[in-house]
Amino acid sequence: MNKDLYLKSIQKFDTYKRFGKVTRVVGLMIESKGPEASIGDLCYIHAHTHGRTRKIAAEVVGFQEENLLLMPLSDLKEIGPGSLVEATKEPLQIKAGTGLVGQVINPLGEMMDGTCLPKGLKNYPTEQAPPNPLKRPTISEPIQVGVKAIDSLLTVGEGQRIGIFAGSGVGKSTLLGMMSRNSSADVNVIALIGERGREVREFIENDLGEEGLKRSIVVVATSDQPALMRVKGAYTATAISEYFRERGFNVNLLMDSITRFAMAQREIGLATGEPPTTKGYTPSVFAALPKLLERTGKSHNGSITAYYTVLVDGDDLNEPISDTVRGILDGHIILDRKLAEQGQFPAINVLKSISRVMNQVVDDNHKQAAERLRKLLAVYEENSELIQIGAYKRGSSREIDEAIQYHPSIIKFLKQGVNEKSSFEQSINSLLQLLV
Ligand SMILES: Nc1ncnc2c1ncn2[C@@H]1O[C@H](COP(=O)(O)OP(=O)(O)OP(=O)(O)O)[C@@H](O)[C@H]1O
Ligand SMILES: [Mg+2]
């Protein structure tokens, strides 16, 4: 009985390896005649160096008449005309499992330090379909982020997806580090996409620290790597988050940055001959973004609460990637350069930020207190110029008087040192006490 089964699978097994040959290389793109493969399949190109063969991973990204268009996942150096192209007939898979926690890996799922992966991991494809929209449970529970301003005024729900919009140097990495260390999620998956190599090390050692790394998996694709690797970094981190979600975990996915993912996708699009549209971004960028962002969120087994940083150049919030991402996600946190310059860290501009699920996940007391604080801040902002030059006379308006009276304690409440911890309950209590 068992023997038959084995014989059958041997008969079914394809023992032929299928090869094609490289015919042309243009920029980032390799053209080959054969092998038989479909879009998204992984192939290995056999490169020869000093009499030895090295296999270079590449992915099928298109066709040109009868020929395959491939993009490499590493440097192109030793490829020549006639180099063999081996088909695997499968898309890229990584290895996932609890053994990855505390490790730093590349988009192919290999250890960054070159050592062997821990044992007991399972194969897992990096590209998956998003959960069925009708089967998605609604978001009903808050999750502790561990940053006072966010937990109290921009409460995040378990399975919510949020954009963090920031220019350079306004405290993005520091904030992501604080979230990874202080949040109540079971595990963090951190994707560093398109950062400079130096920044990666600084982030892991300083911002995340040992305490953060212990409960995180870091996926790194630096800016010098091929565009396809940077795109894969986002897919791999999302796939690892999905792996944990389907096993019942509450996962935090922190992706820095989605803008660099879009830029890498643009590079690929332009190389495959797509037309550039807004700001040179190709149509495939706008197709890839919702497909990636819809994969996170809540499922019946667990949740992925996701934070995507968006780079805003010259603090311009209307560039096409910001716009698209803001439309897909359930909220945004805006880091403001003005606040950072005044030394107010984290530099969250509360009035410009919003959590679209907050009202679903907090109680009435908390909601009212948050609304009151926003109102006080807004009144102060509207009149800040008058107040600061001393043109406002106390007693003219009760509303403004109140805003002035509360302002110093509100600012003190919103500030939080890098190593200052605050639980969800502590943050809410401080908010309620502040306003009595
Ligand atoms: N919570 C905080 N408390 C005090 N200082 C802070 C805080 N957050 C950030 N800073 C200050 O802001 C500086 C810049 O922060 P950070 O490196 O996190 O910014 P970034 O947005 O990641 O910058 P880049 O764009 O260069 O990656 C830090 O060196 C630190 O001095
Ligand atoms: Mg940074």
Side-chain angles (χ1 to χ4, degrees), residues 225-245:
Q225 290 190 311
L228 193 56
M229 270 297 246
R230 281 175 270 142
V231 166
K232 288 283 173 226
Y235 289 133
T236 295
T238 307
I240 293 173
S241 308
E242 286 165 336
Y243 174 91
F244 282 96
R245 173 178 64 189

PDB file of all heavy atoms in Angstrom, residues 225-245:
ATOM      1  N   GLN A 225      21.480  47.334  -2.586  1.00  0.00           N
ATOM      2  CA  GLN A 225      21.080  46.043  -3.151  1.00  0.00           C
ATOM      3  C   GLN A 225      20.165  46.233  -4.360  1.00  0.00           C
ATOM      4  O   GLN A 225      19.531  47.274  -4.500  1.00  0.00           O
ATOM      5  CB  GLN A 225      20.385  45.225  -2.075  1.00  0.00           C
ATOM      6  CG  GLN A 225      21.391  44.795  -1.023  1.00  0.00           C
ATOM      7  CD  GLN A 225      20.816  43.791  -0.061  1.00  0.00           C
ATOM      8  OE1 GLN A 225      19.739  43.986   0.466  1.00  0.00           O
ATOM      9  NE2 GLN A 225      21.540  42.727   0.148  1.00  0.00           N
ATOM     10  N   PRO A 226      20.084  45.223  -5.248  1.00  0.00           N
ATOM     11  CA  PRO A 226      19.229  45.355  -6.429  1.00  0.00           C
ATOM     12  C   PRO A 226      17.785  45.660  -6.047  1.00  0.00           C
ATOM     13  O   PRO A 226      17.322  45.258  -4.974  1.00  0.00           O
ATOM     14  CB  PRO A 226      19.312  43.978  -7.084  1.00  0.00           C
ATOM     15  CG  PRO A 226      20.517  43.328  -6.531  1.00  0.00           C
ATOM     16  CD  PRO A 226      20.773  43.917  -5.192  1.00  0.00           C
ATOM     17  N   ALA A 227      17.093  46.366  -6.963  1.00  0.00           N
ATOM     18  CA  ALA A 227      15.720  46.791  -6.692  1.00  0.00           C
ATOM     19  C   ALA A 227      14.833  45.619  -6.276  1.00  0.00           C
ATOM     20  O   ALA A 227      14.018  45.738  -5.351  1.00  0.00           O
ATOM     21  CB  ALA A 227      15.152  47.459  -7.933  1.00  0.00           C
ATOM     22  N   LEU A 228      15.006  44.491  -6.935  1.00  0.00           N
ATOM     23  CA  LEU A 228      14.153  43.347  -6.632  1.00  0.00           C
ATOM     24  C   LEU A 228      14.338  42.868  -5.189  1.00  0.00           C
ATOM     25  O   LEU A 228      13.390  42.440  -4.533  1.00  0.00           O
ATOM     26  CB  LEU A 228      14.462  42.202  -7.609  1.00  0.00           C
ATOM     27  CG  LEU A 228      13.465  41.067  -7.637  1.00  0.00           C
ATOM     28  CD1 LEU A 228      12.064  41.559  -7.938  1.00  0.00           C
ATOM     29  CD2 LEU A 228      13.867  40.015  -8.657  1.00  0.00           C
ATOM     30  N   MET A 229      15.573  42.973  -4.678  1.00  0.00           N
ATOM     31  CA  MET A 229      15.839  42.574  -3.290  1.00  0.00           C
ATOM     32  C   MET A 229      15.107  43.505  -2.330  1.00  0.00           C
ATOM     33  O   MET A 229      14.575  43.077  -1.316  1.00  0.00           O
ATOM     34  CB  MET A 229      17.334  42.668  -2.990  1.00  0.00           C
ATOM     35  CG  MET A 229      18.107  41.432  -3.255  1.00  0.00           C
ATOM     36  SD  MET A 229      17.616  40.058  -2.234  1.00  0.00           S
ATOM     37  CE  MET A 229      19.072  39.832  -1.266  1.00  0.00           C
ATOM     38  N   ARG A 230      15.089  44.790  -2.660  1.00  0.00           N
ATOM     39  CA  ARG A 230      14.425  45.750  -1.769  1.00  0.00           C
ATOM     40  C   ARG A 230      12.923  45.497  -1.754  1.00  0.00           C
ATOM     41  O   ARG A 230      12.281  45.554  -0.707  1.00  0.00           O
ATOM     42  CB  ARG A 230      14.750  47.180  -2.218  1.00  0.00           C
ATOM     43  CG  ARG A 230      16.146  47.606  -1.760  1.00  0.00           C
ATOM     44  CD  ARG A 230      16.517  48.956  -2.304  1.00  0.00           C
ATOM     45  NE  ARG A 230      17.174  48.827  -3.592  1.00  0.00           N
ATOM     46  CZ  ARG A 230      16.997  49.659  -4.607  1.00  0.00           C
ATOM     47  NH1 ARG A 230      16.143  50.669  -4.497  1.00  0.00           N
ATOM     48  NH2 ARG A 230      17.639  49.480  -5.733  1.00  0.00           N
ATOM     49  N   VAL A 231      12.373  45.174  -2.932  1.00  0.00           N
ATOM     50  CA  VAL A 231      10.945  44.850  -2.994  1.00  0.00           C
ATOM     51  C   VAL A 231      10.669  43.570  -2.202  1.00  0.00           C
ATOM     52  O   VAL A 231       9.737  43.488  -1.403  1.00  0.00           O
ATOM     53  CB  VAL A 231      10.503  44.692  -4.468  1.00  0.00           C
ATOM     54  CG1 VAL A 231       9.157  44.035  -4.567  1.00  0.00           C
ATOM     55  CG2 VAL A 231      10.475  46.053  -5.134  1.00  0.00           C
ATOM     56  N   LYS A 232      11.537  42.576  -2.379  1.00  0.00           N
ATOM     57  CA  LYS A 232      11.362  41.294  -1.680  1.00  0.00           C
ATOM     58  C   LYS A 232      11.442  41.467  -0.175  1.00  0.00           C
ATOM     59  O   LYS A 232      10.824  40.714   0.566  1.00  0.00           O
ATOM     60  CB  LYS A 232      12.446  40.296  -2.114  1.00  0.00           C
ATOM     61  CG  LYS A 232      12.267  39.775  -3.495  1.00  0.00           C
ATOM     62  CD  LYS A 232      11.185  38.724  -3.544  1.00  0.00           C
ATOM     63  CE  LYS A 232      10.901  38.327  -4.968  1.00  0.00           C
ATOM     64  NZ  LYS A 232       9.486  38.263  -5.266  1.00  0.00           N
ATOM     65  N   GLY A 233      12.251  42.433   0.273  1.00  0.00           N
ATOM     66  CA  GLY A 233      12.369  42.686   1.711  1.00  0.00           C
ATOM     67  C   GLY A 233      11.011  42.948   2.320  1.00  0.00           C
ATOM     68  O   GLY A 233      10.661  42.413   3.379  1.00  0.00           O
ATOM     69  N   ALA A 234      10.197  43.750   1.623  1.00  0.00           N
ATOM     70  CA  ALA A 234       8.860  44.068   2.121  1.00  0.00           C
ATOM     71  C   ALA A 234       7.977  42.817   2.108  1.00  0.00           C
ATOM     72  O   ALA A 234       7.221  42.563   3.053  1.00  0.00           O
ATOM     73  CB  ALA A 234       8.238  45.158   1.261  1.00  0.00           C
ATOM     74  N   TYR A 235       8.091  42.016   1.047  1.00  0.00           N
ATOM     75  CA  TYR A 235       7.269  40.801   0.962  1.00  0.00           C
ATOM     76  C   TYR A 235       7.669  39.785   2.023  1.00  0.00           C
ATOM     77  O   TYR A 235       6.825  39.147   2.639  1.00  0.00           O
ATOM     78  CB  TYR A 235       7.377  40.177  -0.433  1.00  0.00           C
ATOM     79  CG  TYR A 235       6.667  40.999  -1.501  1.00  0.00           C
ATOM     80  CD1 TYR A 235       7.278  41.291  -2.712  1.00  0.00           C
ATOM     81  CD2 TYR A 235       5.381  41.477  -1.273  1.00  0.00           C
ATOM     82  CE1 TYR A 235       6.629  42.049  -3.682  1.00  0.00           C
ATOM     83  CE2 TYR A 235       4.728  42.232  -2.238  1.00  0.00           C
ATOM     84  CZ  TYR A 235       5.348  42.517  -3.431  1.00  0.00           C
ATOM     85  OH  TYR A 235       4.704  43.266  -4.380  1.00  0.00           O
ATOM     86  N   THR A 236       8.981  39.631   2.202  1.00  0.00           N
ATOM     87  CA  THR A 236       9.459  38.646   3.168  1.00  0.00           C
ATOM     88  C   THR A 236       9.015  39.018   4.584  1.00  0.00           C
ATOM     89  O   THR A 236       8.524  38.169   5.327  1.00  0.00           O
ATOM     90  CB  THR A 236      11.002  38.542   3.076  1.00  0.00           C
ATOM     91  OG1 THR A 236      11.318  38.032   1.788  1.00  0.00           O
ATOM     92  CG2 THR A 236      11.579  37.641   4.142  1.00  0.00           C
ATOM     93  N   ALA A 237       9.161  40.291   4.952  1.00  0.00           N
ATOM     94  CA  ALA A 237       8.754  40.713   6.300  1.00  0.00           C
ATOM     95  C   ALA A 237       7.251  40.511   6.481  1.00  0.00           C
ATOM     96  O   ALA A 237       6.793  40.068   7.540  1.00  0.00           O
ATOM     97  CB  ALA A 237       9.121  42.185   6.517  1.00  0.00           C
ATOM     98  N   THR A 238       6.477  40.798   5.431  1.00  0.00           N
ATOM     99  CA  THR A 238       5.031  40.614   5.527  1.00  0.00           C
ATOM    100  C   THR A 238       4.706  39.125   5.666  1.00  0.00           C
ATOM    101  O   THR A 238       3.843  38.738   6.460  1.00  0.00           O
ATOM    102  CB  THR A 238       4.340  41.220   4.282  1.00  0.00           C
ATOM    103  OG1 THR A 238       4.784  42.569   4.144  1.00  0.00           O
ATOM    104  CG2 THR A 238       2.830  41.211   4.422  1.00  0.00           C
ATOM    105  N   ALA A 239       5.421  38.292   4.901  1.00  0.00           N
ATOM    106  CA  ALA A 239       5.170  36.844   4.975  1.00  0.00           C
ATOM    107  C   ALA A 239       5.488  36.297   6.366  1.00  0.00           C
ATOM    108  O   ALA A 239       4.735  35.483   6.909  1.00  0.00           O
ATOM    109  CB  ALA A 239       6.007  36.120   3.913  1.00  0.00           C
ATOM    110  N   ILE A 240       6.581  36.757   6.959  1.00  0.00           N
ATOM    111  CA  ILE A 240       6.928  36.277   8.299  1.00  0.00           C
ATOM    112  C   ILE A 240       5.848  36.707   9.295  1.00  0.00           C
ATOM    113  O   ILE A 240       5.433  35.937  10.165  1.00  0.00           O
ATOM    114  CB  ILE A 240       8.320  36.800   8.722  1.00  0.00           C
ATOM    115  CG1 ILE A 240       9.394  36.172   7.827  1.00  0.00           C
ATOM    116  CG2 ILE A 240       8.606  36.487  10.184  1.00  0.00           C
ATOM    117  CD1 ILE A 240      10.775  36.739   8.026  1.00  0.00           C
ATOM    118  N   SER A 241       5.351  37.934   9.138  1.00  0.00           N
ATOM    119  CA  SER A 241       4.270  38.404  10.019  1.00  0.00           C
ATOM    120  C   SER A 241       3.041  37.513   9.858  1.00  0.00           C
ATOM    121  O   SER A 241       2.384  37.145  10.830  1.00  0.00           O
ATOM    122  CB  SER A 241       3.887  39.841   9.682  1.00  0.00           C
ATOM    123  OG  SER A 241       5.010  40.662   9.671  1.00  0.00           O
ATOM    124  N   GLU A 242       2.736  37.157   8.610  1.00  0.00           N
ATOM    125  CA  GLU A 242       1.572  36.299   8.348  1.00  0.00           C
ATOM    126  C   GLU A 242       1.754  34.927   8.990  1.00  0.00           C
ATOM    127  O   GLU A 242       0.817  34.369   9.562  1.00  0.00           O
ATOM    128  CB  GLU A 242       1.375  36.112   6.841  1.00  0.00           C
ATOM    129  CG  GLU A 242       0.804  37.342   6.157  1.00  0.00           C
ATOM    130  CD  GLU A 242       0.931  37.303   4.631  1.00  0.00           C
ATOM    131  OE1 GLU A 242       1.821  36.589   4.116  1.00  0.00           O
ATOM    132  OE2 GLU A 242       0.168  37.991   3.967  1.00  0.00           O
ATOM    133  N   TYR A 243       2.977  34.412   8.883  1.00  0.00           N
ATOM    134  CA  TYR A 243       3.265  33.104   9.484  1.00  0.00           C
ATOM    135  C   TYR A 243       2.909  33.123  10.966  1.00  0.00           C
ATOM    136  O   TYR A 243       2.246  32.228  11.474  1.00  0.00           O
ATOM    137  CB  TYR A 243       4.756  32.778   9.290  1.00  0.00           C
ATOM    138  CG  TYR A 243       5.192  31.520   9.997  1.00  0.00           C
ATOM    139  CD1 TYR A 243       5.151  30.298   9.348  1.00  0.00           C
ATOM    140  CD2 TYR A 243       5.636  31.553  11.325  1.00  0.00           C
ATOM    141  CE1 TYR A 243       5.529  29.131   9.988  1.00  0.00           C
ATOM    142  CE2 TYR A 243       6.011  30.397  11.977  1.00  0.00           C
ATOM    143  CZ  TYR A 243       5.958  29.192  11.308  1.00  0.00           C
ATOM    144  OH  TYR A 243       6.323  28.041  11.959  1.00  0.00           O
ATOM    145  N   PHE A 244       3.324  34.173  11.676  1.00  0.00           N
ATOM    146  CA  PHE A 244       3.043  34.258  13.109  1.00  0.00           C
ATOM    147  C   PHE A 244       1.564  34.529  13.378  1.00  0.00           C
ATOM    148  O   PHE A 244       0.987  33.987  14.305  1.00  0.00           O
ATOM    149  CB  PHE A 244       3.928  35.330  13.763  1.00  0.00           C
ATOM    150  CG  PHE A 244       5.325  34.851  14.002  1.00  0.00           C
ATOM    151  CD1 PHE A 244       6.334  35.118  13.097  1.00  0.00           C
ATOM    152  CD2 PHE A 244       5.628  34.101  15.135  1.00  0.00           C
ATOM    153  CE1 PHE A 244       7.621  34.649  13.309  1.00  0.00           C
ATOM    154  CE2 PHE A 244       6.912  33.630  15.354  1.00  0.00           C
ATOM    155  CZ  PHE A 244       7.912  33.899  14.437  1.00  0.00           C
ATOM    156  N   ARG A 245       0.953  35.373  12.540  1.00  0.00           N
ATOM    157  CA  ARG A 245      -0.476  35.670  12.744  1.00  0.00           C
ATOM    158  C   ARG A 245      -1.300  34.394  12.642  1.00  0.00           C
ATOM    159  O   ARG A 245      -2.168  34.142  13.481  1.00  0.00           O
ATOM    160  CB  ARG A 245      -0.961  36.661  11.688  1.00  0.00           C
ATOM    161  CG  ARG A 245      -2.482  36.867  11.742  1.00  0.00           C
ATOM    162  CD  ARG A 245      -2.964  37.883  10.731  1.00  0.00           C
ATOM    163  NE  ARG A 245      -2.737  37.441   9.354  1.00  0.00           N
ATOM    164  CZ  ARG A 245      -2.912  38.217   8.297  1.00  0.00           C
ATOM    165  NH1 ARG A 245      -3.313  39.471   8.440  1.00  0.00           N
ATOM    166  NH2 ARG A 245      -2.687  37.765   7.077  1.00  0.00           N
TER     167      ARG A 245
END
